[in-house]
Amino acid sequence: MSDLPDPYPLHSLTITKMTPGQRKAMLAGVDDGGRLPDDVVTARVLASIPQEWARTDKKTGTRFLTPKGQAALLPLDRYLHLRRANPETGAVYGLNHYDGQALHRDGLVIFQSTDGRIAGPTDYWKINAHPYLTERARKLIGMPLTPPPFATRLPVGSHAMWMKEGESPQPVQIKSWPFADGTVRVHPLTGHWVKYPENDVPATELHPH
């Protein structure tokens, strides 16, 4: 299915260049529902953030993150690592050392052992700690903080039927909760998607098996 559209059109392979101050303000905006706080960086730094990253409310002058701004904070590979994390435990899989350090620096993952001890990005191996999503990371990728009703009907790991209009029903395994964009990550249970072992599909098209 090479004709599938790009599911993440806003993300690039490398982080868009931004200053540390811009990055600090925009990450703080993720925490605050998209609003860039004016007490984290100077007014000059806020003014330097492009409108395509953070639009300005003409009445109040407040800056708000745009989808492009959120996408600029993460390259596609790191974004996918976070998006493919286990929504129930927050466990992040397959991170290399460099990406783990970068995500930890931005407050998007923590390293924690099975007995609850927290470690830094350079010494986590000493206590066998593993990366987990932070609340900031869940907000950035649009993952719910708590289980939605969908998780009761189709929990992670369960089988479902993907019923797309005009196509035959396809059996899939549920791999996520619904994201803010209305999609759910699924793994096909048939051999049709060799190039795309997982897909993001509309939650409304998924039904109990």
Side-chain angles (χ1 to χ4, degrees):
M1 298 184 68
S2 58
D3 59 341
L4 285 176
D6 180 1
Y8 313 109
L10 294 180
H11 290 269
S12 63
L13 295 178
T14 56
I15 294 178
T16 306
K17 293 295 184 181
M18 62 181 67
T19 68
Q22 290 173 333
R23 190 171 193 80
K24 182 178 181 180
M26 291 168 68
L27 285 168
V30 173
D31 298 334
D32 199 19
R35 177 185 176 277
L36 271 57
D38 53 15
D39 58 350
V40 171
V41 296
T42 64
R44 180 178 60 82
V45 170
L46 282 179
S48 73
I49 298 174
Q51 287 292 316
E52 66 175 356
W53 289 351
R55 65 174 178 81
T56 302
D57 183 285
K58 294 182 179 180
K59 292 183 178 180
T60 65
T62 303
R63 306 294 302 274
F64 291 93
L65 276 177
T66 65
K68 282 188 176 181
Q70 293 204 162
L73 289 166
L74 282 175
L76 180 59
D77 54 350
R78 291 180 197 163
Y79 176 80
L80 290 179
H81 275 302
L82 299 183
R83 194 169 171 102
R84 291 170 180 165
N86 186 316
E88 297 175 340
T89 65
V92 183
Y93 307 106
L95 278 183
N96 62 38
H97 181 69
Y98 179 77
D99 286 339
Q101 284 188 312
L103 291 170
H104 183 274
R105 178 196 63 220
D106 285 341
L108 298 172
V109 301
I110 59 170
F111 289 91
Q112 187 171 349
S113 65
T114 54
D115 58 2
R117 288 181 292 166
I118 303 297
T122 59
D123 60 357
Y124 62 90
W125 54 272
K126 294 180 180 178
I127 60 171
N128 196 31
H130 299 280
Y132 292 87
L133 295 174
T134 62
E135 183 174 318
R136 171 182 284 180
R138 287 181 181 261
K139 290 179 178 179
L140 180 58
I141 63 175
M143 180 185 287
L145 302 180
T146 57
F150 179 95
T152 300
R153 182 169 60 92
L154 289 171
V156 173
S158 66
H159 291 179
M161 295 301 292
W162 178 23
M163 298 183 180
K164 187 176 182 180
E165 185 177 357
E167 297 186 10
S168 300
Q170 298 228 28
V172 296
Q173 183 181 42
I174 303 298
K175 304 292 286 186
S176 76
W177 295 338
F179 291 94
D181 61 8
T183 64
V184 174
R185 186 165 49 87
V186 301
H187 180 83
L189 297 177
T190 58
H192 298 306
W193 298 339
V194 176
K195 188 175 179 181
Y196 297 91
E198 290 188 357
N199 242 8
D200 290 350
V201 307
T204 54
E205 296 178 357
L206 295 170
H207 303 274
H209 197 285

